[in-house]
Amino acid sequence: MKNHHRSVKVLRRGDLAKLTGCNLETIRYYENIGVMPEPPRSSKNYRVYDDRHVARLRFIMRARELGFTLDEVRDLLALVDGGAQTCGEVQGLANAHLASVRAKIADLKRIEHVLSSTVAQCSGDDVPECPVIDALTEVA
Amino acid sequence: MKNHHRSVKVLRRGDLAKLTGCNLETIRYYENIGVMPEPPRSSKNYRVYDDRHVARLRFIMRARELGFTLDEVRDLLALVDGGAQTCGEVQGLANAHLASVRAKIADLKRIEHVLSSTVAQCSGDDVPECPVIDALTEVA
DNA sequence: CTTGAGCCTGTACCAGCTACAGACTCTAGA
DNA sequence: TCTAGAGTCTGTAGCTGGTACAGGCTCAAG
């Protein structure tokens, strides 16, 4: 038992990465841009994390998975940290983000439609005439 | 009549930008990365464009609008320029791209679902309990 | 005591542009 | 003819959201 005088193992950057599945370097990046707090350092200048850092990083990663930008994540975190945050404010951010997600879906659907209807006209043969190229070339 | 000895007005970079709606700097960028050809230069080192440059830039812009990456655009252009291009090859590229567009749509729909169902639980009040924050915080 | 793993820092790189500085040139009006 | 402003030239830096490496320290096991 080497840690008999310290019952809780400290988390270093690599541990945090493994626990969350986040890339090691990304953690430092998040710290640099201010979405992760600067953790305390050990005597040898190693970052020392705890459970709250794990929770915060998971929060960030989940928000990123849902397509929030890092700026939006910062806003969400500020509301969370603010203590005085209200459901209404968070709802506002989430709704704004939802609208942009829906706009992206609409864009991509339009693109999908153009692509699929164009490709459907392809003969797939060795012929030089190609409806895809035509569609791209057309001034329309 | 200043151009009496040259009936066709030459296009400079700004003209090409206006004709296509492309950003002025983007034209130079496309030249640097090799999707636009290096145009001939005037005696004073100004780029001189013609109709074919206009057509090519429109092609690139249309492909970009459809979500092709610049690498994919390069491939498409190589097939177009190759002369021996076949409909089948182009169809292959377009189909691969269509698949990635569909994958993005699926991702975004999943995100939309999570967001909208979460936001729907919001009271929108001044209360500190927020289902959006809960959803982001949950380890799930 | 050595060896490898892990951590530290700063910096460079990716896409796909956009913008700006500083120098040159062209064009239209006075 | 002169001059002011617009256009062009080059290289380079910035943006987002990371990723990756070099060069140096430190730590733990054999």
Side-chain angles (χ1 to χ4, degrees):
Chain A
M1 287 251 175
K2 274 157 191 170
N3 284 338
H4 62 92
H5 58 295
R6 197 190 313 176
S7 58
V8 183
K9 188 186 181 305
V10 295
L11 298 173
R12 289 186 306 177
R13 194 149 56 101
D15 302 317
L16 186 54
K18 266 191 201 108
L19 278 173
T20 58
C22 186
N23 180 292
L24 184 72
E25 301 284 358
T26 303
I27 295 172
R28 192 160 61 102
Y29 172 70
Y30 284 165
E31 184 182 323
N32 284 339
I33 64 167
V35 298
M36 281 292 283
E38 288 183 30
R41 300 291 183 117
S42 73
S43 59
K44 292 301 180 184
N45 205 30
Y46 283 23
R47 289 170 179 83
V48 176
Y49 297 101
D50 63 28
D51 291 353
R52 286 159 312 165
H53 294 100
V54 177
R56 165 139 301 197
L57 185 50
R58 288 211 170 111
F59 181 101
I60 295 166
M61 291 174 76
R62 184 124 176 78
R64 293 287 302 127
E65 273 172 32
L66 290 179
F68 286 92
T69 66
L70 284 171
D71 261 2
E72 288 168 335
V73 170
R74 234 187 303 259
D75 291 344
L76 285 171
L77 288 169
L79 288 179
V80 174
D81 292 345
Q85 89 278 18
T86 65
C87 183
E89 286 175 290
V90 177
Q91 191 186 24
L93 284 182
N95 266 324
H97 180 57
L98 184 54
S100 85
V101 168
R102 284 179 172 150
K104 272 181 206 147
I105 290 174
D107 271 1
L108 285 170
K109 277 190 175 172
R110 192 179 43 73
I111 289 168
E112 189 211 353
H113 182 72
V114 174
L115 275 177
S116 64
S117 65
T118 307
V119 168
Q121 296 168 44
C122 282
S123 65
D125 291 342
D126 272 358
V127 297
E129 303 84 40
C130 179
V132 176
I133 295 297
D134 291 349
L136 289 167
T137 307
E138 263 158 33
V139 183
Chain B
M1 284 246 180
K2 278 161 189 165
N3 285 335
H4 61 92
H5 57 294
R6 197 189 314 175
S7 58
V8 182
K9 187 188 182 304
V10 297
L11 299 173
R12 289 187 304 179
R13 194 148 56 102
D15 301 317
L16 187 55
K18 266 191 201 107
L19 278 173
T20 58
C22 185
N23 181 290
L24 184 71
E25 302 285 359
T26 303
I27 295 171
R28 192 161 60 103
Y29 171 70
Y30 284 165
E31 185 184 322
N32 285 338
I33 64 166
V35 297
M36 280 292 282
E38 288 183 29
R41 299 292 182 114
S42 74
S43 60
K44 293 299 180 186
N45 205 31
Y46 283 23
R47 289 170 180 85
V48 177
Y49 297 101
D50 64 27
D51 292 352
R52 286 161 310 166
H53 294 100
V54 177
R56 164 140 304 198
L57 185 49
R58 288 211 171 112
F59 182 100
I60 295 165
M61 291 173 76
R62 183 121 176 81
R64 292 287 302 128
E65 272 172 33
L66 290 180
F68 286 92
T69 66
L70 285 171
D71 262 1
E72 288 168 334
V73 170
R74 233 187 302 261
D75 291 345
L76 285 171
L77 288 170
L79 289 179
V80 173
D81 292 346
Q85 89 277 18
T86 64
C87 183
E89 287 174 290
V90 177
Q91 190 184 23
L93 283 181
N95 265 325
H97 180 56
L98 184 54
S100 85
V101 168
R102 284 180 172 150
K104 273 182 206 146
I105 291 174
D107 271 2
L108 285 171
K109 277 191 174 171
R110 192 177 43 74
I111 290 168
E112 189 212 350
H113 182 73
V114 174
L115 276 177
S116 64
S117 64
T118 307
V119 168
Q121 297 168 42
C122 282
S123 65
D125 291 343
D126 272 357
V127 295
E129 303 84 38
C130 179
V132 176
I133 295 298
D134 291 348
L136 287 169
T137 307
E138 263 160 33
V139 182

